[in-house]
Amino acid sequence: MRIVLGVCGGIAAYKAALLLRLMTESGHEVHVVPTRSALNFVGEATWEALSGNRVHTDTFEAVDEVNHVLQGRNADLVIIAPATADFLARTAAGLAPDLLGNIMLTATCPILVAPAMHTEMWLNPATQANVATLRHRGITVLDPDSGRLTGSDTGQGRLPEPATIWDHAQNLVSPSAGALEGKHLVISAGGTREPLDPVRYLGNRSSGKQGVALAVQAARAGARITLIAAAMDIPAPQHPRIEVVEIESTRQLLDAVLTHSRGADVLIMAAAVADFRPRTVGESKIKKTAEQPVPVIELEQTEDVLATAVQTRNEEKNLPGLIVGFAAETGDEHGDVLTYGKQKLDRKGCEMLVVNQVGVGRVFGQDDTEVTILYADGREAVTATGTKDQVATKIISAVAEQFSGR
C-alpha cells in the first residue's frame, strides 16, 4: 500500500516517527511529507532513514514528475499526524501553500487526520468548525486524547498513540473489516525455487508482493493467517494474526499446504509455482571449464499443488471448502489469457481462480496489477485494477462474500 504520511509542526511530530515505523514494518511503502515547520522538530534525515524514501516538502520539487499531483493521486491512504490547528484551517479553506496542501486537494483515497494541539486551540469555535467541515467532506478526523501536553499543561489535545492511529487507518482501507473474523486462511506467496546444485536453482520472477498484500488484507478482515512464504523480494509482514512458514521448493510447498490447510477455512494459492525441476541435483557446484562440455539439464514436472489440494479436499473432506487458485498467463497464438484461465479453472477444480497477464515488466515485481476473478459456479467474472494492495482488498472481499454466502 502506498501511504503518504503528512507531518505538521508540533511537538508531537516525534510520535509520527513511531507511526512511520509501524507502517513500514507492516510492509507498506510510505512517503513522508513534512511541512517546513515540522522539520524544526524532526529533520529530513530521520524521515528518509525510517521510510527509505526521499522526503519532499516543496511544491516545486520534482516538477518534471508533476510531484504535487502524483503524490496525492497515487496514494492508497493519506495520514496527517500530527495535524495542527493551522493545517486544519488551511485544509478546510482549500488552500495549498505547500506540497502537503496540494496532496490534500488531489488525493482521492481515504484520508485520516490526527490533530494535536493545546486544549484551548482544539476547543476554539474556529477549529471545531474546521473539523466539522472536513468531516462533512468525508475526511476522517480523530478526536485528540486527553493527557499531558507541552510543559505542565494537561487536557484534551494530545496526539493519539501511534498504534491507535494505525488501527483507525487500516479500518479505512479495509472494506472487509471483520468479514472473516474467526476464520483461518492459508495463503501462499512468492516463487518456488528448484535446486540445480548447491549454488544454482531454477526459479521465477515472483516478488511475493501480491501474496503478502492478501495476507495483510485478510488479517485486517479479522482472519488468522498462515502465510506459506517461498522466495520473496520483500520481508514477510509482522502482524499478530499472521504466522509465517518459510519454504523453498514446490515439494516443500505441497507438504506445507497439506499440513497447514487441514481444518482451515480458505486456501489461497498465490505463490508462483515452478512447473519443472532438474531431474538430478548436483551434490557439488557444476564447474565451468574449457575441458568439459556444457551440461544438459533434463527436467521433470513438479507436483501440481493446487490440483492435489483440491483432490485431497474432495477425498478426505478435511481441507478448506473454499480454494482459490492463481493463474499467471501470457497468452499465445492459440488463446488469450482468459481463455487459458477458464481452462485452468475447469481443470484444477477450485472454486475461484484469479487470472493475470504476466511477463517482463508486467505484474512480477511491479506495484500495480490487473486481475480477473473467475468463479466455478458460473457467476459473472470480476475485474480488479490498481495497486496490489487495492487488488488484494478486492480479492479478500470476494472471498468473504463467497464464504459468507455458502
Side-chain angles (χ1 to χ4, degrees):
M1 181 163 57
R2 294 190 186 112
I3 303 174
V4 170
L5 174 60
V7 184
C8 298
I11 188 61
Y14 78 92
K15 285 188 175 182
L18 303 177
L19 174 60
L20 173 58
R21 178 58 62 85
L22 287 177
M23 295 187 288
T24 56
E25 288 184 347
S26 296
H28 301 292
E29 175 187 346
V30 185
H31 294 267
V32 182
V33 182
T35 63
R36 290 200 175 277
S37 60
L39 296 178
N40 292 321
F41 296 91
V42 181
E44 284 187 17
T46 298
W47 299 124
E48 291 184 349
L50 291 178
S51 69
N53 291 306
R54 184 180 174 186
V55 167
H56 295 285
T57 61
D58 194 287
T59 306
F60 295 98
E61 292 179 302
V63 174
D64 59 322
E65 300 175 3
V66 198
N67 192 48
H68 70 291
V69 174
L70 290 182
Q71 285 272 22
R73 179 183 293 169
N74 292 338
D76 299 310
L77 173 67
V78 173
I79 301 175
I80 312 297
T84 60
D86 178 68
F87 174 85
L88 296 176
R90 287 188 284 110
T91 304
L95 301 179
D98 53 16
L99 179 58
L100 188 56
N102 279 267
I103 289 172
M104 293 298 290
L105 291 179
T106 57
T108 58
C109 61
I111 299 175
L112 176 71
V113 176
M117 61 199 73
H118 273 78
T119 305
E120 294 84 352
M121 299 174 72
W122 171 250
L123 296 178
N124 188 283
T127 301
Q128 291 299 304
N130 292 330
V131 169
T133 297
L134 296 179
R135 287 172 173 168
H136 179 71
R137 293 174 185 167
I139 295 175
T140 300
V141 182
L142 302 181
D143 285 332
D145 286 349
S146 295
R148 180 71 178 270
L149 305 175
T150 305
S152 59
D153 291 345
T154 299
Q156 189 177 16
R158 180 183 176 90
L159 184 72
E161 292 302 312
T164 301
I165 297 173
W166 183 224
D167 284 341
H168 281 284
Q170 292 178 94
N171 288 335
L172 286 181
V173 294
S174 182
S176 299
L180 294 174
E181 189 70 38
K183 306 302 180 186
H184 178 202
L185 274 68
V186 176
I187 301 174
S188 67
T192 60
R193 293 177 173 179
E194 305 301 329
L196 176 60
D197 62 23
V199 177
R200 303 178 181 90
Y201 61 85
L202 297 181
N204 56 62
R205 299 177 184 273
S206 176
S207 65
K209 290 181 178 180
Q210 189 66 81
V212 167
L214 286 166
V216 171
Q217 292 295 338
R220 290 175 185 166
R224 176 172 65 89
I225 311 301
T226 299
L227 178 64
I228 303 176
M232 302 196 303
D233 293 344
I234 60 174
Q238 297 180 354
H239 193 286
R241 291 180 179 268
I242 301 176
E243 173 193 11
V244 179
V245 177
E246 295 182 348
I247 59 94
E248 182 172 283
S249 68
T250 301
R251 183 175 285 119
Q252 292 172 345
L253 174 62
L254 176 61
D255 291 342
V257 165
L258 295 181
T259 297
H260 294 282
S261 294
R262 299 187 186 280
D265 299 290
V266 182
L267 169 63
I268 302 178
M269 288 294 304
V273 184
D275 293 321
F276 303 95
R277 62 170 163 249
R279 187 174 294 275
T280 59
V281 179
E283 295 183 359
S284 59
K285 179 183 177 181
I286 300 173
K287 299 294 191 292
K288 177 183 177 182
T289 63
E291 295 78 18
Q292 294 182 346
V294 176
V296 176
I297 302 173
E298 185 179 0
L299 301 178
E300 64 180 11
Q301 289 189 357
T302 58
E303 296 81 3
D304 191 325
V305 181
L306 178 57
T308 301
V310 173
Q311 181 180 356
T312 303
R313 185 269 310 276
N314 294 343
E315 293 176 353
E316 300 181 13
K317 310 298 183 184
N318 59 356
L319 262 66
L322 176 55
I323 297 180
V324 182
F326 268 65
E329 298 288 353
T330 58
D332 55 28
E333 67 274 13
H334 301 295
D336 59 15
V337 170
L338 284 185
T339 298
Y340 285 118
K342 292 174 182 177
Q343 293 174 358
K344 186 170 185 177
L345 177 63
D346 293 337
R347 189 170 64 253
K348 300 294 185 179
C350 51
E351 285 66 46
M352 296 168 58
L353 189 75
V354 181
V355 185
N356 55 18
Q357 185 170 356
V358 297
V360 178
R362 300 194 64 169
V363 179
F364 282 146
Q366 304 298 308
D367 292 324
D368 297 310
T369 188
E370 178 178 345
V371 306
T372 301
I373 306 172
L374 304 177
Y375 295 88
D377 61 9
R379 77 180 69 178
E380 184 176 355
V382 174
T383 299
T385 304
T387 66
K388 290 188 175 179
D389 291 284
Q390 291 171 328
V391 169
T393 300
K394 187 74 172 182
I395 294 171
I396 293 301
S397 295
V399 167
E401 292 172 4
Q402 178 90 334
F403 192 82
S404 63
R406 292 168 61 88

